[in-house]
Amino acid sequence: MALMGQMMSMPLLISSLIQHAARHSGDTEIVSKRVEGDLHRYNWREAELRSRKLAQAFARLGLQAGERVGTLAWNGYRHLEIYYGSSGSQLVCHTINPRLFPEQIAWIAKDAQDRALCFDLNFLPLVEKLAEHLPQIKHYVLMTDRAHMPAASTLPNLLCYEELLEAEDGRYAWPSFDENTASSICYTSGTTGNPKGAVYSHRSSVLHAYGSALPDAMDCSAKDVILPVVPMFHVNAWGLPYSSAIVGCKLVFPGPHLDGKSLYELFETEKVSFSAGVPTVWLGLLTYVASNKLSFSTFKRTVIGGSACPPAMLKTLMDDYGVEVIHAWGMTELSPLGTLSKLTAKQLALPPEQQRRILEKQGKVIYGIDMAVIDDEGQALPWDGASAGNLVVRGPWVINTYFQQDGSPLVPVQAADGSSMGEWFPTGDVATIDADGFMQITDRSKDVIKSGGEWISSIDLENIAMAHPAVHEAAVIACRHPKWDERPLLVAVKKPGAELTREELLAFYEGRIAKWQIPDDVAFVTELPHTATGKLQKLKLREQFKGYKLPTA
Ligand code: ADP
C-alpha cells in the first residue's frame, strides 16, 4: 500500500493569490488610467478589501455559486476586483471581448448564461442596445461612481458599482472549496463557426500563474512594474492579474488608452519595467516612439505573442531600444501560455545572429505543458527542427472539453514506435520542434499555402516583408492557381510617406527564401483587417481577395 503524504491539504484557490498579495505586499501600488480620464491609485491591500466587499455585494444580489458574472471592461482596478470578487466567492468570471460584433457579444453572454453584467461607462450605449437580447441577465452593474451615473437609462434597475461596495463592510472570509471548481470562462474568438467557451478552474488558473511567473517564462518578480497591454478580456490578460499577485509587484492598467502616445507616457511616468501584448500594439507604440525620437527609461522586457512576432520588430526593440523580447505562443484553450523563447546556458555561447534566430521561434514549453508534432495519422514526428506537423499539447491548464459541447476535442497520439501516448489537444497550428525543444509555428493549418504538394509558410513570407524598411504591415494568403493549386499573394501596407513598388518588394525576397516560395504578386492596401484581439484576419482578407487573378495564373 502506498504511503500517503502528510502535508496540509489546501486547495489552490484564486482568492489565495490576492490574500497573499494583500498580506505580504499590501502597500504595493495598483495604478489605473480610468475610462473617466483620470489616474486612480491604491494598493493590493485595498484591492483585496474591495474584492471582499464585492463578493458580499454579489451575494446580496442573490447570485449563487457557479453562476456567471459577465464583464465588458478595459484593464483597470475595478475589473481586477471583479476577477477576484467573483471567482473568490465561487461565482464564475466571464470576460467578454467588447470589440466583437454586438450580435456576437449577445450570443456569448447568452451561451454562458451570464446572470450579472458589469461594464465600463463607455459601453453603456452598447449594453442598452443589447439588453433586449439578454433576458437571462438579472443585474446590470455600471463600473463607476454615483457622480458618473446617467440620469436615465433604458436598462432595468441599473446598479452603480461604487454604491454596491459602499453598502458592504468587508467582513467576509473567502470560502474554501474544491480547487477544481470553475473560476472563469473565456470564449475563443470564433474565426470559424460560433465561439467556444474554455472553462478554467481555480487549480488550472493558479498553476498557470505559478508557471508563467518563472524566470524562463515571464520572469515576474516583486521588483517589476507590470503593465498588461493585453486586455483582461483576452484570456485573462495572459494570467498577469494572477501572476502579479503571486510576486506582489506594482501593476499599471492602461484602461482604454492604448494608442502609442498614451502608452508611452504611462510607461514613463509609472516606471513600467515589463509589459505584454500582441504585435499590433507594439507597432503603434514603436511608430510613436520612433517618429518623436524618444527612448524608454525603465521599460526592459516584453512578452509578445498571440500571433507571430515579426523578427524585424524583435530586432528593433532589442537593438534600438534595449528591450528584451520574449516571444510566446499560446491560445485560449491553454489559459493561454504554452511556450516562450529564452536562451539556455549552452545557447549563450552562440554568435548573436544564431541567438536571434532562436529567439524568433515560439520557444520551449513551461513545466506543466507537454507538446508534440504529429502527422495526419497521429504519429509523432522527430524533433529535428525541420519536420513540420500538427502541434498537440497536454497539461493541467489545457482544456479537456469545451463549455456545453458534446464530444471531446482531444486526439490520440502514437510515438514513432507505434505505442500509445494517450490523448492530446490539437491546437490547429503547424509547427516544428528542434532538438533543444524549441518550437516554431510555421502556420495555422488553415493559413498554410499548399503549392504543388509543398507547403509554404505564410508567416515566413510575412516576416520577410515586414523586414523591408518601407513596409508597415504585411499579410500573405493563398490564391487559387490552375497549375500549383495555391500560390502566395502578399498584401502589404506601406509606411506613411514611403515609396515602394511591387517589383522592389518582390526583389527583396531574393536570397532570403527559396525561389519557388516567393509570392506571385503584391497588392498594396491602406489597411489590413484585424480580429477583435488584434490579429490579422486572414479569413476576411481571403474573402476580400476571392477570385483575385494572379499574373502567373
Ligand atoms: P483565436 O484562436 O480565436 O485566434 P487565440 O487567442 O486562442 O484565439 O489564438 C490562438 C492562436 O494564435 C494559436 O493557435 C496560434 O495560431 C496563434 N498564435 C498565438 N501566439 C502565436 C505566436 N507567437 N506565433 C504564431 N502564432 C501564434
Side-chain angles (χ1 to χ4, degrees):
M1 240 243 283
L3 175 66
M4 298 311 287
Q6 296 177 1
M7 310 307 285
M8 289 188 188
S9 172
M10 295 182 72
L12 302 175
L13 297 178
I14 280 177
S15 55
S16 72
L17 303 174
I18 197 160
Q19 270 182 292
H20 170 80
R23 278 173 66 80
H24 302 283
S25 312
D27 61 357
T28 303
E29 270 189 311
I30 298 173
V31 181
S32 309
K33 190 110 179 243
R34 284 201 274 211
V35 176
E36 292 92 330
D38 56 347
L39 218 54
H40 172 271
R41 322 184 82 90
Y42 72 163
N43 58 35
W44 279 107
R45 195 177 300 118
E46 291 163 276
E48 197 259 347
L49 173 62
R50 281 170 52 94
S51 303
R52 267 185 281 136
K53 289 186 178 181
L54 185 60
Q56 289 178 304
F58 284 145
R60 195 180 294 275
L61 291 176
L63 296 176
Q64 306 277 334
E67 288 193 319
R68 271 74 76 190
V69 175
T71 68
L72 277 171
W74 302 105
N75 291 7
Y77 68 107
R78 290 186 184 118
H79 206 176
L80 183 79
E81 293 160 6
I82 297 169
Y83 264 47
Y84 284 103
S86 60
S87 303
S89 62
Q90 237 176 312
L91 298 169
V92 182
C93 183
H94 172 212
T95 52
I96 309 174
N97 187 339
R99 295 191 188 118
L100 295 170
F101 288 124
E103 308 82 68
Q104 281 178 305
I105 295 177
W107 188 93
I108 290 176
K110 201 162 169 196
D111 190 65
Q113 288 290 305
D114 292 339
R115 279 281 168 268
L117 183 65
C118 305
F119 53 100
D120 270 332
L121 207 47
N122 56 325
F123 298 125
L124 179 62
L126 171 71
V127 176
E128 284 178 334
K129 214 165 64 203
L130 289 179
E132 61 169 316
H133 305 292
L134 303 171
Q136 83 287 354
I137 292 185
K138 298 285 171 265
H139 311 284
Y140 288 96
V141 182
L142 190 54
M143 293 161 64
T144 192
D145 53 18
R146 168 69 21 216
H148 289 86
M149 287 298 283
S153 166
T154 55
L155 291 172
N157 321 316
L158 179 61
L159 299 165
C160 166
Y161 184 91
E162 290 301 329
E163 280 189 348
L164 285 180
L165 259 60
E166 276 158 26
E168 306 301 336
D169 59 12
R171 262 184 250 134
Y172 175 86
W174 294 112
S176 183
F177 45 85
D178 185 342
E179 63 183 17
N180 289 300
T181 306
S183 58
S184 57
I185 301 190
C186 284
Y187 277 72
T188 60
S189 37
T191 24
T192 50
N194 273 332
K196 294 192 283 275
V199 184
Y200 309 123
S201 68
H202 283 257
R203 174 186 157 81
S204 71
S205 304
V206 171
L207 290 176
H208 175 269
Y210 240 126
S212 66
L214 284 170
D216 283 322
M218 292 213 191
D219 191 12
C220 303
S221 87
K223 294 192 287 288
D224 276 314
V225 178
I226 300 186
L227 186 151
V229 176
V230 50
M232 290 169 77
F233 53 76
H234 189 198
V235 214
N236 297 329
W238 302 351
L240 285 169
Y242 303 134
S243 40
S244 54
I246 287 185
V247 300
C249 66
K250 174 173 166 179
L251 260 179
V252 182
F253 288 124
H257 314 278
L258 297 172
D259 60 289
K261 181 172 190 289
S262 307
L263 278 181
Y264 178 78
E265 285 169 5
L266 205 54
F267 272 60
E268 288 300 302
T269 54
E270 296 304 323
K271 303 192 166 37
V272 170
S273 62
F274 172 59
S275 186
V278 295
T280 27
V281 298
W282 304 120
L283 274 183
L285 181 62
L286 287 175
T287 306
Y288 175 78
V289 173
S291 52
N292 292 283
K293 301 197 168 38
L294 301 165
S295 60
F296 295 105
S297 24
T298 54
F299 184 32
K300 287 283 167 288
R301 213 165 77 251
T302 184
V303 169
I304 301 186
S307 49
C309 172
M313 178 178 288
L314 189 139
K315 192 169 182 330
T316 306
L317 274 161
M318 302 253 239
D319 295 355
D320 301 353
Y321 298 103
V323 177
E324 179 193 0
V325 173
I326 306 164
H327 190 193
W329 168 87
M331 57 197 306
T332 307
E333 290 88 337
L334 269 80
S335 311
L337 280 180
T339 66
L340 298 103
S341 205
K342 286 277 197 87
L343 298 177
T344 63
K346 91 176 176 200
Q347 291 165 342
L348 288 175
L350 295 172
E353 252 329 291
Q354 255 170 286
Q355 291 186 349
R356 170 90 20 109
R357 274 200 295 281
I358 295 166
L359 294 175
E360 287 168 6
K361 298 190 174 194
Q362 279 72 8
K364 282 170 84 83
V365 290
I366 315 176
Y367 163 76
I369 295 288
D370 196 3
M371 66 178 170
V373 280
I374 58 173
D375 63 18
D376 287 340
E377 275 71 55
Q379 187 141 41
L381 295 169
W383 289 22
D384 56 9
S387 307
N390 302 311
L391 179 66
V392 294
V393 292
R394 64 176 175 187
W397 60 79
V398 178
I399 65 153
N400 194 42
T401 49
Y402 285 103
F403 184 53
Q404 298 179 149
Q405 299 242 332
D406 295 332
S408 166
L410 309 188
V411 295
V413 172
Q414 302 100 46
D417 66 5
S419 60
S420 167
M421 289 170 66
E423 299 218 300
W424 297 58
F425 175 76
T427 64
D429 288 322
V430 179
T432 61
I433 305 176
D434 70 19
D436 294 318
F438 280 72
M439 183 272 287
Q440 182 157 32
I441 301 274
T442 53
D443 239 317
R444 279 195 133 176
S445 42
K446 52 188 180 297
D447 293 338
V448 183
I449 296 140
K450 295 180 179 126
S451 172
E454 295 289 343
W455 286 11
I456 304 176
S457 154
S458 65
I459 295 180
D460 283 352
L461 299 183
E462 285 156 12
N463 284 343
I464 294 174
M466 293 283 285
H468 192 288
V471 172
H472 174 70
E473 208 179 5
V476 173
I477 51 169
C479 262
R480 286 263 139 238
H481 192 281
K483 180 166 176 205
W484 303 110
D485 218 9
E486 290 180 355
R487 288 294 302 158
L489 165 69
L490 168 62
V491 188
V493 180
K494 290 183 218 175
K495 281 201 179 136
E499 303 241 354
L500 180 65
T501 64
R502 168 189 182 275
E503 287 67 30
E504 283 164 348
L505 189 47
L506 290 180
F508 191 67
Y509 279 88
E510 306 276 349
R512 288 184 162 88
I513 199 149
K515 250 195 155 54
W516 64 273
Q517 299 193 343
I518 297 178
D520 281 22
D521 202 6
V522 181
F524 287 109
V525 293
T526 49
E527 208 185 353
L528 286 168
H530 290 99
T531 67
T533 47
K535 303 181 192 195
L536 283 173
Q537 209 172 7
K538 296 237 175 126
L539 198 70
K540 192 148 177 206
L541 204 60
R542 279 194 287 264
E543 270 164 29
Q544 217 170 306
F545 283 88
K546 202 168 154 191
Y548 185 86
K549 205 153 159 35
L550 291 168
T552 52

